[in-house]
Amino acid sequence: MIGIIVTGHGEFASGLTSGLKLLAGETECYEAVDFKAEDSTELLTENLKEAIMRLKDCEAVAVLADLTGGSPFNMASRLKMSGIHENMEVVGGISLPLVLHAYMSRAMISDIRELLDASLEMGKQHMMYFQTSDEACELEE
């Protein structure tokens, strides 16, 4: 099983997890790590380390962060480079569709890169403009 850690600024991780549980039920092999305003990057790193250690029996760990280049993404990337888990990947810029896809598909896709590539594509496909029916007709002509 591929373990999943969602992390982000403020209560992004716990909020996204609330939505995930509404759609997919109780989570397993899953951790949410918030980075609150009063937290230091050292505390964030410790919280991420502890989450990774709770998923140590997973064959791989995907850390999914809210912003590419933000502190949660950067600290997770540093932990990946430290070799804390032998099969760990970090993705930034996540959304609920991406996380839902990764969470639900990991039972069928055991390769972490294949899982994350498919989940990234799913996340992109769910971003679109709302169009009125008049706009849709104009686009079809």
Side-chain angles (χ1 to χ4, degrees):
M1 173 79 65
I2 296 171
I4 294 176
I5 299 171
V6 170
T7 186
H9 295 81
E11 296 181 1
F12 177 85
S14 56
L16 190 140
T17 300
S18 174
L20 179 66
K21 287 180 178 178
L22 184 66
L23 296 168
E26 283 302 313
T27 57
E28 67 176 283
C29 295
Y30 178 95
E31 298 284 334
V33 178
D34 288 324
F35 180 45
K36 296 180 182 176
E38 64 272 17
D39 294 347
S40 66
T41 54
E42 290 80 14
L43 179 60
L44 171 63
T45 301
E46 280 306 309
N47 290 340
L48 287 168
K49 279 182 185 177
E50 290 173 9
I52 292 166
M53 294 314 295
R54 286 191 291 274
L55 299 175
K56 69 180 184 310
D57 294 331
C58 293
E59 60 197 50
V61 173
V63 181
L64 309 176
D66 60 347
L67 292 173
T68 303
S71 293
F73 177 87
N74 291 340
M75 296 306 110
S77 297
R78 286 183 187 172
L79 289 170
K80 173 184 166 56
M81 289 188 296
S82 78
I84 191 169
H85 194 286
E86 64 185 29
N87 194 8
M88 178 177 153
E89 296 295 338
V90 180
V91 170
I94 65 167
S95 63
L96 181 55
L98 184 155
V99 175
L100 179 63
H101 183 273
Y103 185 79
M104 300 298 284
S105 299
R106 65 188 176 159
M108 298 170 284
I109 303 173
S110 60
D111 181 86
I112 189 170
R113 288 197 174 218
E114 183 181 340
L115 175 70
L116 293 175
D117 285 345
S119 298
L120 283 167
E121 188 58 36
M122 183 62 65
K124 290 176 190 172
Q125 289 176 7
H126 278 81
M127 295 173 56
M128 62 181 59
Y129 286 104
F130 169 77
Q131 297 176 350
T132 63
S133 59
D134 291 343
E135 291 173 332
C137 290
E138 288 175 17
L139 292 174
E140 290 177 6
E141 293 176 11

